[in-house]
Amino acid sequence: MLRTNNLGYPRIGAQRELKKANEAFWSGKISRRELLDVGLKICQTNWEIQRSVGIDLIPSNDFSFYDQVLDTSLTFGAIPQRYHALADKKGVEHELELYFAMARGYQQEGVDVTAMEMTKWFDTNYHYIVPEFVKNQSFSLFSEKAINEFYEAKKMGIITKPVLLGPITYLLLGKEKEAGFHRLDLIDKLLPVYNQLLSKLKAHGAEWVQIDEPFLALDLDDKTKSLYPKVFSQLKQANPGLKFVLTTYFEGLRDNTDLAFSLPVNALHLDLVRGEGQLQSVFPKLKNKDLVLSLGVVDGRNIWKNDYESSLGLVRPVVDELGSNRVWIAPSCSLLHVPCDLDLETDEAILPATVKNWLAFAKQKLTEVKDIAVLAEGRVDEATQARALANKEAQEDRSTSKLIHHDAVKQRIASIGKGDDQRKSTFAVRKQKQQQALGLPLFPTTTIGSFPQTKEVRSWRAQLKKGSLTAEQYNDLIRKETEEAVHWQESLGIDVLVHGEFERNDMVEYFGEQLQGYAFTKNGWVQSYGSRCVKPPVLYGDVSRPKDMTVFWTAFAQSLTKLPVKGMLTGPVTILQWSFVRNDQPRSETAFQIALAIRDEVVALEKAGIKVIQIDEPAIREGLPLRKADQQNYLEWAVKAFRLSASGVGDDTQIHTHMCYSEFNDIIAHIAAMDADVITIETSRSQMELLDAFADFSYPNDIGPGVYDIHSPRVPSKEEMVFLLEKAKAVIPAEQLWVNPDCGLKTRAWPETKAAIEAMVAAAKTLRESVQETVD
Ligand code: 39S
Ligand code: ZN
């Protein structure tokens, strides 16, 4: 029997139930009990959906209240010292409060602890909480979440397959918080606790356990390579009778193929979307073994319908070779990265029926997995037959659709000239001209662009969409909000102002909505971090810009003040990265199309009298291919796309860019090659660690290292920020330094925003005074 295997299901709920419950709990509106109930309800719903579609291996422990890596830290008791007092004070029944304190920081009842660091999950727009390890790290079975979830599903009559982050991947995802050891050296302490958990799961009736080791599909050093056989034989030995499905994703195994097939596991999952060609090389390894292969043929990272015929082309030879008992059909990775249910999308004005017919979300992907299994085995019922036919028609419709291709766009791409991705003069020349135009002080202050998207602002937009506010009424409200923000910034003494972005829903969706070639959804939410979700627009066709996108509100804000107002745009690579993009042409081609649209907007802003323009590229590092061999090519076209978007303006127009949430050290030369006049960059959660890279490299242009973490409601003191700025000043010349927060402020509330920005401006003043003193 060809079985079906799911790796993970979206956990925010089809109506973002988890987001709403979490936020209600944090603001004291619901109790812990009520929040736990919402969580359980989501688990039960997800299990039921999977059972009804006919998924054989249904995951548990893929649910999380905030993040699965943080769950793992709590499971194995890797709780950093600074939370111990809180843990003791609250006691075990407050596990959830401790958990959220680690995720978000905690500033109450005389306790003041910062949040743990957060960073991108491989090359996705999902963020995980970075485990912190110390030299004499100890582990213990602290949270029993994995067991509880297994038990809950069992009550429904479902024997789930618990999902655990593999021990090597878990350690690699973390960071050493002191010198003198390597985190992989902690494996001998971790494994006994890991085994303790596994034996409990077994005792509760678990048969299969999914061990996620995405690192096994990446470039590995010898130390890590040699650890894999050791770890997996120990797991095998310590847990007789338990079956392991070793799960890799986001890349093909490539040079780790032999290693992966040598490991003593019962099943191996391959991502056949990213590692398309890898089946050929694994065939020879399968002889004389009873290993099960889980074939990840349904794309867990994008929303296009699976092409049944091409999937069957992959699957059938494997079934012929191994027999159907040794083959599972699966999505390529967890479905966490796609929205829940396409059936909820019924508004043809934003998602035309033609485009909708090309798509599949998580729930639909489960059916695809099941269909492919049924078709591959040839025991086809009528309903499956009908879906297979419809699938074939949808593929044909998309491949010939007139909605997708536009000659004018293709011609413009073809005619990109040599100088089109270069500013007119060097940075040194530009800096002088910009200084003349702007007259900024030393340590100029600015913010990253967005101000709090309060409930009110969002509800105005919701009302506009529903028709209970007219466009005029809505614009009036946004105008007032913008005016207030501009006047507040002026009164505070900020040097480069922003308009606040009150008119925008999201920094990518907002642009997608105004570009040709895009469709959107009403409910296509995907978790980004914690309770925060995004609704990536669907880029299905050639991209062009029919009219101005941001000029109106930027020019309005500029009309209110003599100080410079920064125009805010999202860069081409980030728009690409945070959209669901076409898979029928190379990503670079799509990036260049977006770049030209943004370039036109940059020029339009300059024409409207805007002197400073920020083109955000927070996702440039996230788009970096996971394998070194593929990176150079990406960096070349990504940097070119940014430069194309930025190079249409005169020398005296100052171009900023912004980046966050990634380790940038390894691509610093390429960041410099983007040649933005100013880069503002996230650094504060890592205490400005990043700056070492900028100093070593001697970054040529101006830089604003974030002086406080905006992803936590905690208000930083002026002294903390002065301390960080002094740290920055030690490695970056003062003339190059800007003062700004880590990121945009849309996720924050006004009171903490005002307090923090006030302190930030005061910190900049203190720095200016101290420089003045040394000059005197
Ligand atoms: N990726 C993207 N695409 N955008 C980003 O900003 C980022 N930032 C980084 C990395 N990746 C990103 C960090 N990630 C949010 C999301 C991701 C983030 C940071 C922040 C965020 O604030 N998301 C909002 C949220 O989860 C949703 C933003 C949005 O699209 O709350 N809002 C819409 C709007 O403002 C819809 C709002 C909404 O939920 O128009 N409306 C309610 C509804 O439709 C009704 C509101 C009401 O009546 O009060 O049910
Ligand atoms: Zn940011």
Side-chain angles (χ1 to χ4, degrees):
M1 253 269 289
L2 209 57
R3 298 218 280 169
T4 49
N5 174 34
N6 186 28
L7 275 54
Y9 199 77
R11 57 207 178 204
I12 49 169
Q15 305 288 343
R16 288 184 299 161
E17 290 86 348
L18 180 64
K19 171 205 176 58
K20 291 166 193 166
N22 267 338
E23 289 175 0
F25 174 68
W26 296 336
S27 62
K29 291 194 191 86
I30 65 171
S31 68
R32 172 154 36 89
R33 188 67 258 159
E34 286 169 297
L35 175 58
L36 290 170
D37 284 346
V38 171
L40 178 58
K41 186 82 197 298
I42 291 172
C43 288
Q44 290 168 337
T45 306
N46 290 352
W47 290 323
E48 196 51 59
I49 288 172
Q50 296 175 79
R51 167 157 68 185
S52 70
V53 170
I55 297 298
D56 298 304
L57 290 116
I58 297 176
S60 61
N61 202 36
D62 57 333
F63 176 80
S64 177
F65 279 103
Y66 201 97
D67 163 48
Q68 74 273 9
V69 183
L70 182 59
D71 291 341
T72 311
S73 289
L74 220 70
T75 296
F76 298 125
I79 298 159
Q81 185 66 41
R82 65 184 180 284
Y83 305 104
H84 287 190
L86 188 67
D88 295 344
K89 185 167 160 181
K90 294 279 184 181
V92 278
E93 74 276 18
H94 284 76
E95 184 180 303
L96 206 54
E97 281 85 342
L98 169 65
Y99 176 77
F100 287 135
M102 291 163 74
R104 313 177 64 234
Y106 191 89
Q107 201 172 32
Q108 255 177 64
E109 306 157 26
V111 184
D112 185 356
V113 283
T114 55
M116 291 171 78
E117 195 179 328
M118 179 159 84
T119 200
K120 296 255 150 138
W121 175 248
F122 299 91
D123 61 346
T124 74
N125 190 10
Y126 176 77
H127 307 64
Y128 74 93
I129 300 286
V130 181
E132 297 179 13
F133 301 122
V134 290
K135 202 170 167 185
N136 67 350
Q137 182 70 45
S138 62
F139 298 102
S140 64
L141 199 53
F142 184 86
S143 162
E144 303 220 323
K145 171 182 178 291
I147 298 156
N148 297 339
E149 269 180 42
F150 180 83
Y151 175 73
E152 288 296 340
K154 197 175 160 188
K155 282 204 281 194
M156 295 169 64
I158 300 175
I159 298 300
T160 52
K161 171 196 59 167
V163 179
L164 300 180
L165 210 46
I168 296 177
T169 287
Y170 171 63
L171 290 177
L172 286 176
L173 287 170
K175 261 193 182 175
E176 294 90 354
K177 283 289 150 178
E178 57 192 13
F181 76 110
H182 189 285
R183 57 199 186 281
L184 284 179
D185 301 337
L186 303 174
I187 195 79
D188 292 330
K189 290 187 184 170
L190 177 61
L191 276 183
V193 188
Y194 214 90
N195 285 328
Q196 209 182 328
L197 175 64
L198 288 169
S199 73
K200 283 201 175 190
L201 286 168
K202 170 121 199 309
H204 277 80
E207 293 161 10
W208 283 95
V209 175
Q210 173 178 322
I211 311 271
D212 281 8
E213 282 290 354
F215 271 101
L216 192 52
L218 305 193
D219 299 320
L220 297 178
D221 58 18
D222 291 342
K223 182 183 173 110
T224 315
K225 275 185 190 159
S226 65
L227 208 53
Y228 270 101
K230 188 181 133 182
V231 165
F232 278 86
S233 25
Q234 285 190 24
L235 290 180
K236 180 89 201 157
Q237 239 162 42
N239 299 282
L242 205 53
K243 291 191 232 170
F244 295 113
V245 47
L246 171 59
T247 302
T248 63
Y249 42 80
F250 300 157
E251 257 307 338
L253 290 172
R254 301 196 201 183
D255 54 324
N256 300 327
T257 305
D258 281 335
L259 172 61
F261 278 86
S262 75
L263 300 175
V265 293
N266 307 83
L268 179 59
H269 173 83
L270 303 175
D271 182 338
L272 294 177
V273 176
R274 287 289 177 86
E276 223 177 327
Q278 61 178 324
L279 268 183
Q280 266 51 47
S281 62
V282 307
F283 265 133
K285 326 271 178 216
L286 288 163
K287 303 260 154 68
N288 319 317
K289 271 198 145 199
D290 52 8
L291 186 75
V292 172
L293 262 197
S294 168
L295 305 178
V297 289
V298 171
D299 194 348
R301 295 286 299 272
N302 212 334
I303 40 66
W304 304 108
K305 254 185 191 156
N306 186 269
D307 181 345
Y308 284 8
E309 265 179 30
S310 84
S311 292
L312 288 167
L314 284 175
V315 170
R316 280 191 176 124
V318 188
V319 177
D320 290 345
E321 182 84 12
L322 302 184
S324 48
N325 284 334
R326 284 179 59 196
V327 180
W328 296 348
I329 305 300
S332 60
C333 59
S334 165
L335 297 172
L336 177 68
H337 311 287
V338 292
C340 289
D341 188 359
L342 185 64
D343 293 343
L344 301 175
E345 301 304 326
T346 52
D347 186 348
E348 290 199 24
I350 58 173
L351 184 62
T354 313
V355 178
K356 181 180 171 185
N357 188 42
W358 302 336
L359 309 183
F361 291 176
K363 194 169 149 207
Q364 288 69 36
K365 283 172 188 285
L366 293 176
T367 301
E368 294 186 339
V369 165
K370 181 68 186 176
D371 284 349
I372 293 164
V374 170
L375 291 163
E377 221 170 10
R379 15 164 211 114
V380 185
D381 54 292
E382 246 171 69
T384 309
Q385 193 63 55
R387 281 195 299 270
L389 192 66
N391 181 274
K392 193 173 168 171
E393 283 167 2
Q395 305 303 329
E396 280 167 8
D397 180 54
R398 184 173 166 220
S399 67
T400 58
S401 173
K402 295 257 180 313
L403 286 180
I404 296 177
H405 301 282
H406 296 281
D407 289 343
V409 177
K410 295 196 203 303
Q411 272 157 24
R412 199 169 164 208
I413 295 291
S415 67
I416 292 173
K418 221 170 182 304
D420 289 349
D421 63 348
Q422 296 211 358
R423 298 288 297 273
K424 295 181 179 61
S425 307
T426 61
F427 173 67
V429 173
R430 299 192 316 255
K431 181 157 178 163
Q432 225 167 20
K433 293 193 186 171
Q434 290 163 18
Q435 191 49 26
Q436 268 161 20
L438 297 168
L440 298 170
L442 203 54
F443 308 115
T445 51
T446 190
T447 60
I448 306 306
S450 58
F451 283 135
Q453 282 271 334
T454 56
K455 267 219 138 37
E456 291 72 42
V457 173
R458 285 194 191 161
S459 78
W460 301 335
R461 202 156 27 249
Q463 288 173 54
L464 173 71
K465 281 189 179 158
K466 268 190 290 192
S468 53
L469 274 181
T470 64
E472 210 166 292
Q473 289 169 319
Y474 174 76
N475 285 344
D476 265 348
L477 291 161
I478 298 290
R479 188 175 303 133
K480 283 206 194 86
E481 200 76 8
T482 309
E483 269 167 6
E484 247 178 76
V486 169
H487 293 144
W488 168 67
Q489 292 171 84
E490 235 180 356
S491 71
L492 213 62
I494 297 209
D495 302 302
V496 175
L497 277 49
V498 298
H499 76 284
E501 300 177 25
F502 303 108
E503 77 286 8
R504 302 188 189 177
N505 44 6
D506 171 79
M507 57 184 287
V508 168
E509 204 182 0
Y510 183 74
F511 289 92
E513 284 174 355
Q514 304 190 71
L515 290 168
Q516 218 36 254
Y518 266 104
F520 340 93
T521 63
K522 247 203 168 81
N523 215 22
W525 295 100
V526 178
Q527 186 180 21
S528 181
Y529 71 89
S531 72
R532 296 291 174 174
C533 302
V534 295
K535 197 145 53 61
V538 178
L539 197 166
Y540 65 85
D542 287 340
V543 176
S544 58
R545 168 188 170 277
K547 55 182 195 313
D548 288 353
M549 301 188 283
T550 64
V551 175
F552 178 80
W553 287 113
T554 317
F556 168 69
Q558 185 63 82
S559 75
L560 302 171
T561 175
K562 294 220 149 37
L563 295 169
V565 172
K566 185 160 63 165
M568 300 300 311
L569 303 173
T570 305
V573 183
T574 298
I575 292 185
L576 177 88
Q577 195 64 25
W578 292 352
S579 301
F580 287 122
V581 298
R582 25 198 311 198
N583 55 0
D584 61 349
Q585 72 178 18
R587 292 171 77 79
S588 54
E589 194 74 12
T590 310
F592 293 149
Q593 291 184 1
I594 305 168
L596 293 181
I598 298 298
R599 178 188 180 97
D600 293 348
E601 186 70 14
V602 172
V603 170
L605 281 169
E606 183 186 55
K607 248 195 207 127
I610 303 304
K611 295 193 158 50
V612 183
I613 300 165
Q614 177 170 313
I615 308 171
D616 277 8
E617 283 291 18
I620 201 153
R621 174 63 174 77
E622 164 194 322
L624 190 69
L626 296 167
R627 291 285 201 152
K628 285 219 168 53
D630 309 328
Q631 292 177 352
Q632 191 59 32
N633 174 49
Y634 162 81
L635 286 165
E636 272 163 27
W637 64 252
V639 169
K640 178 166 177 173
F642 177 85
R643 293 176 59 126
L644 269 176
S645 74
S647 298
V649 290
D651 286 341
D652 51 358
T653 295
Q654 187 171 69
I655 298 288
H656 289 217
T657 190
H658 166 70
M659 293 180 191
C660 48
Y661 282 127
S662 303
E663 309 285 338
F664 296 102
N665 304 27
D666 50 348
I667 61 161
I668 185 100
H670 300 275
I671 293 178
M674 289 164 68
D675 199 25
D677 298 304
V678 182
I679 180 170
T680 58
I681 197 159
E682 186 252 318
T683 46
S684 81
R685 265 201 192 192
S686 62
Q687 294 289 305
M688 300 241 169
E689 262 171 41
L690 179 75
L691 286 184
D692 297 339
F694 278 77
D696 291 345
F697 175 76
S698 129
Y699 185 77
N701 302 6
D702 284 8
I703 167 167
V707 294
Y708 80 91
D709 171 24
I710 62 89
H711 292 90
S712 152
R714 189 179 166 274
V715 176
S717 68
K718 178 188 112 175
E719 288 69 29
E720 278 170 58
M721 291 186 273
V722 170
F723 173 77
L724 288 179
L725 279 165
E726 291 289 356
K727 225 167 145 173
K729 197 155 70 75
V731 288
I732 306 222
E735 310 72 54
Q736 277 175 264
L737 268 183
W738 284 63
V739 176
N740 46 262
D742 256 358
C743 200
L745 294 157
K746 66 181 175 192
T747 59
R748 296 274 57 89
W750 271 116
E752 75 230 26
T753 298
K754 290 195 166 163
I757 297 293
E758 222 165 281
M760 185 190 88
V761 172
K765 286 193 176 134
T766 303
L767 240 77
R768 281 174 207 154
E769 282 156 17
S770 76
V771 171
Q772 203 52 50
E773 272 161 29
T774 47
V775 172
D776 297 345

